[in-house]
Amino acid sequence: MQKSLTIITNNERSRLAWKKRISEQFQDEIQIKAILIKDLREKETYYDDLVLITHPSIEKEAISYLRKNTPYILAKRTLDLKYIHRISEFPGGSDVLILNDGQNSCYEMIEELISFGFDQFHYYVYGDETSEGRSFSYAITDGEGYLMPQIPNILDFGNRQISYTTIGEISKHFFGEIRLEQVLFNRYISPQIYNNINLYKALKENKQMQTQLTALLAEFDNGIIMFNANSEIMISN
């Protein structure tokens, strides 16, 4: 019998986006359903082989609707790395406004940017008292650009991508450790990194790019080594 995964989101746009992302990773190997949190309110209890809750803001409510012992994962998200090099266009020391779908998400984004080596800016959270009354020339958002005030330079990452660790947790739940490696390398690392020609070519020339990739590879428990065409080790975790 085919295993089943249910994705719980808080709005229709998110529901469609998450179902598409997870389906691309696991294709037809897992039956994937995506429902809204409001749909759970009409049921007594809910059960599936695994439940993926997409946002901390709905975690507590979603859990309350799940049948006892229903396995669930709270999804982690990460910035889309194909745009991250553009942050280098911002002058060092700039005040940068961060806008996301909640203040907690803004702080998560700031932590992620710093972990990727972008610690040369002063970050401020949109709507926080520390940003009130300030004038900004630079801002970063991920899919919430339409809410951004008039700022000359806005970097919009688009919707944040599902984290490698979350893909790994889903894969491990259904397929085990061996299948975990296959899914991560063949379906996630390969298209996201190895096919990213700009990032690959920049490794030797741009130390900051190398720092970003190192942070990315650090998410994995497995040892990872990247070689160049001359069999020289370029980077490892």
Side-chain angles (χ1 to χ4, degrees):
M1 183 176 178
Q2 189 178 31
K3 296 294 185 178
S4 178
L5 168 72
T6 295
I7 304 167
I8 301 176
T9 69
N10 55 0
N11 62 69
E12 182 63 15
R13 186 180 73 168
S14 176
R15 186 187 74 82
L16 295 174
W18 276 93
K19 185 173 183 180
K20 180 176 183 292
R21 292 174 199 163
I22 299 298
S23 297
E24 287 173 348
Q25 297 302 317
F26 297 99
Q27 299 179 12
D28 298 326
E29 296 167 302
I30 303 173
Q31 182 182 355
I32 298 171
K33 300 182 289 261
I35 62 177
L36 301 177
I37 185 71
K38 68 181 182 66
D39 296 330
L40 289 177
R41 298 173 187 141
E42 302 172 0
K43 303 177 182 291
E44 291 186 5
T45 57
Y46 190 86
Y47 178 84
D48 206 344
D49 296 323
L50 182 64
V51 171
L52 179 67
I53 302 171
T54 59
H55 200 278
S57 64
I58 62 171
E59 180 184 13
K60 186 174 180 180
E61 183 180 4
I63 293 172
S64 70
Y65 298 130
L66 300 181
R67 191 182 306 170
K68 187 178 180 180
N69 298 324
T70 301
Y72 73 91
I73 295 172
L74 177 62
K76 296 178 182 178
R77 296 181 296 166
T78 186
L79 295 171
D80 192 337
L81 295 180
K82 70 181 176 219
Y83 298 118
I84 204 163
H85 65 281
R86 290 181 53 197
I87 304 178
S88 300
E89 299 171 7
F90 291 178
S94 299
D95 291 344
V96 179
L97 184 64
I98 304 295
L99 174 62
N100 208 327
D101 56 359
Q103 288 195 346
N104 287 339
S105 297
C106 289
Y107 291 119
E108 288 177 4
M109 186 190 295
I110 292 172
E111 289 180 4
E112 190 170 11
L113 289 169
I114 292 174
S115 74
F116 285 158
F118 296 103
D119 56 359
Q120 69 270 45
F121 306 114
H122 306 293
Y123 295 108
Y124 294 86
V125 172
Y126 179 73
D128 187 270
E129 59 182 14
T130 60
S131 66
E132 292 181 2
R134 287 183 175 271
S135 177
F136 294 92
S137 297
Y138 304 93
I140 298 174
T141 184
D142 59 350
E144 308 293 333
Y146 63 96
L147 297 175
M148 189 67 76
Q150 294 299 317
I151 294 177
N153 304 284
I154 299 176
L155 172 55
D156 191 341
F157 279 95
N159 292 327
R160 282 199 290 174
Q161 304 298 301
I162 184 169
S163 170
Y164 311 107
T165 55
T166 298
I167 290 291
E169 287 183 81
I170 295 172
S171 177
K172 183 177 179 180
H173 179 85
F174 287 113
F175 306 118
E177 291 287 347
I178 296 177
R179 191 57 186 276
L180 169 62
E181 293 182 359
Q182 178 183 348
V183 172
L184 289 178
F185 280 90
N186 293 346
R187 296 189 184 167
Y188 221 79
I189 296 181
S190 181
Q192 291 286 348
I193 297 178
Y194 292 129
N195 290 342
N196 191 331
I197 298 174
N198 291 331
L199 178 60
Y200 179 81
K201 288 183 176 179
L203 283 174
K204 280 191 172 181
E205 303 172 357
N206 191 327
K207 185 176 180 180
Q208 192 169 54
M209 286 291 185
Q210 188 166 357
T211 300
Q212 296 159 18
L213 186 54
T214 300
L216 173 64
L217 297 183
E219 288 198 42
F220 299 96
D221 294 329
N222 304 82
I224 300 173
I225 300 175
M226 292 183 64
F227 296 89
N228 63 14
N230 298 318
S231 298
E232 299 170 333
I233 296 176
M234 297 179 61
I235 194 168
S236 68
N237 66 346

